[in-house]
Amino acid sequence: MGWFWAEPSLRRSAPTAQHPVAPTSDAPPPGCPMHKSGPSPPHFPPQQEESPRSPSSCPVKAPNRGISEGSERENLNDSSIRTSAKQSSTISKLNPLNYMPSSISNAPSSTQQILLPLDREISSIPRGDVESNWEYPSPQQMYNAMLRKGYTDTPADAVESMVAVHNFLNEGAWQEIAKWEHIFSKGLAAGWDECRRGEENIALQWAIARARQSGDESDAMSPRLLRFVGRPSEPTPKSRIMQSLGYIYPSGFGSEPPFDRHDWFVSRQSRSGQQREIRYVIDYYSGPPEPTGEPVFYLDIRPAIDRPSAAVERLMRWSGDVWYRASGSAVRQAAKS
């Protein structure tokens, strides 16, 4: 999940986050690849005038003669250069924003039996490096990406539904991240003032605040997605704890482990104009399907504890809702209405 691709566009004139992404001019596929050409491989054999030999080695080797210590060192250096060039060339084919291959085409595969749509949908998620939104892959690009990853048993007629679910989950994830940013981008004190009113009022207050903001202020204060990384094979500490509790108390905590994990890096801008890079962790869970057969998914989204304030934010979000319900605020508010 979480493949965004984007066309090249002009860089923003506004200040970027603490770790801005290098500009690019290549058009990416599965995941907005920002392709960067790798260094050209070194000449082999190395030219004599460009590779000075050490004083201890002879500049001319006789046929069938053993390699001296100095020349052996040179050959090792040449080998390391070629290996480094090969590794750089492989890495350069990946988009630094999401580490997805950048050479996935939008052309039909030779093995597919049906034609898939080629259109790409524009997301509502603003990018952090340019003045545009992230773009989702087309069904054809998604199918080609899955083939490239080794999922050759994927039925082509199911890809459109997969893309729809993929886009829906990403939009929902971004809305929750934007809610976190609305609460805490103004500081911890303002964040607690929001959290102590409970989860029931957070969404309402967030919608009201966004409606009151002018267009320019809303755009300047809105978070932007800088990059993201899929890490399905690296369970989060929280998911590990929940699985351990499920073994001990299966009736209360028993559930399937998350089927995917993402790290989203967001640019947060405060009222003072200072920008910070905030990492969010997303665990994707699947639930029992609806009676109609439609799949059900649950997303656990929270800021990663990379800094002390992130732990405070998570504690405020949880304890604020507990305080709101335990103190009787929910009952008093219902009586007033």
Side-chain angles (χ1 to χ4, degrees):
M1 310 305 300
W3 293 343
F4 295 92
W5 305 348
E7 300 295 346
S9 54
L10 296 178
R11 179 169 290 278
R12 300 175 56 208
S13 58
T16 57
Q18 291 180 340
H19 305 288
V21 181
T24 182
S25 60
D26 291 342
C32 16
M34 309 290 291
H35 182 68
K36 179 175 65 175
S37 60
S40 58
H43 297 286
F44 186 83
Q47 299 178 3
Q48 300 292 337
E49 62 273 15
E50 296 181 357
S51 301
R53 298 181 178 274
S54 62
S56 60
S57 62
C58 177
V60 179
K61 298 190 193 65
N64 302 323
R65 181 177 178 181
I67 301 177
S68 65
E69 180 182 357
S71 60
E72 182 178 3
R73 187 185 304 111
E74 291 174 8
N75 290 338
L76 290 175
N77 291 337
D78 292 342
S79 177
S80 62
I81 292 174
R82 290 194 299 273
T83 303
S84 176
K86 183 178 180 180
Q87 292 175 350
S88 299
S89 179
T90 301
I91 295 175
S92 69
K93 296 178 182 178
L94 301 180
N95 173 19
L97 298 181
N98 58 9
Y99 306 104
M100 291 293 295
S102 62
S103 58
I104 303 298
S105 69
N106 206 17
S109 171
S110 59
T111 59
Q112 69 185 74
Q113 302 297 323
I114 63 174
L115 295 178
L116 295 173
L118 307 180
D119 297 332
R120 296 166 59 184
E121 180 182 347
I122 306 295
S123 75
S124 64
I125 306 173
R127 296 180 53 155
D129 57 337
V130 292
E131 287 288 356
S132 63
N133 288 2
W134 292 87
E135 291 186 55
Y136 294 121
S138 68
Q140 183 63 63
Q141 288 175 316
M142 176 73 82
Y143 183 68
N144 291 342
M146 297 187 70
L147 292 180
R148 183 163 181 168
K149 285 190 167 188
Y151 300 106
T152 56
D153 58 343
T154 303
D157 55 358
V159 174
E160 286 191 67
S161 299
M162 295 170 58
V163 171
V165 172
H166 161 269
N167 298 355
F168 174 77
L169 291 180
N170 283 326
E171 291 294 324
W174 180 251
Q175 291 302 315
E176 182 62 24
I177 289 176
K179 189 185 301 182
W180 276 93
E181 289 299 300
H182 164 73
I183 297 172
F184 294 107
S185 63
K186 299 181 291 293
L188 293 178
W192 172 247
D193 188 58
E194 293 275 356
C195 294
R196 68 182 180 85
R197 302 175 186 177
E199 289 294 324
E200 297 178 2
N201 293 316
I202 285 181
L204 177 61
Q205 295 299 324
W206 177 47
I208 294 175
R210 289 177 63 87
R212 289 177 178 175
Q213 287 178 342
S214 63
D216 294 340
E217 183 182 357
S218 176
D219 181 71
M221 293 289 294
S222 295
R224 291 178 173 270
L225 178 60
L226 299 174
R227 64 187 186 279
F228 54 94
V229 181
R231 303 169 66 181
S233 60
E234 303 177 43
T236 61
K238 182 179 179 179
S239 67
R240 291 178 183 271
I241 294 174
M242 297 302 292
Q243 290 302 305
S244 299
L245 292 175
Y247 293 131
I248 302 174
Y249 304 106
S251 59
F253 297 94
S255 64
E256 294 293 327
F259 63 86
D260 200 1
R261 177 245 175 117
H262 280 180
D263 288 9
W264 288 22
F265 298 82
V266 176
S267 173
R268 172 186 294 180
Q269 180 167 328
S270 63
R271 288 180 173 177
S272 62
Q274 181 182 7
Q275 288 191 346
R276 300 178 60 185
E277 182 179 284
I278 309 297
R279 180 169 68 97
Y280 282 87
V281 179
I282 307 175
D283 284 326
Y284 294 80
Y285 294 87
S286 58
E290 295 286 352
T292 57
E294 296 179 353
V296 176
F297 302 95
Y298 301 96
L299 274 61
D300 187 4
I301 305 170
R302 67 275 187 194
I305 307 181
D306 298 331
R307 50 199 166 79
S309 58
V312 176
E313 292 172 4
R314 291 171 63 165
L315 180 61
M316 282 186 176
R317 188 81 184 266
W318 173 81
S319 61
D321 186 60
V322 173
W323 169 260
Y324 177 76
R325 290 183 282 116
S327 63
S329 298
V331 177
R332 290 193 297 270
Q333 184 174 353
K336 291 180 182 179
S337 59

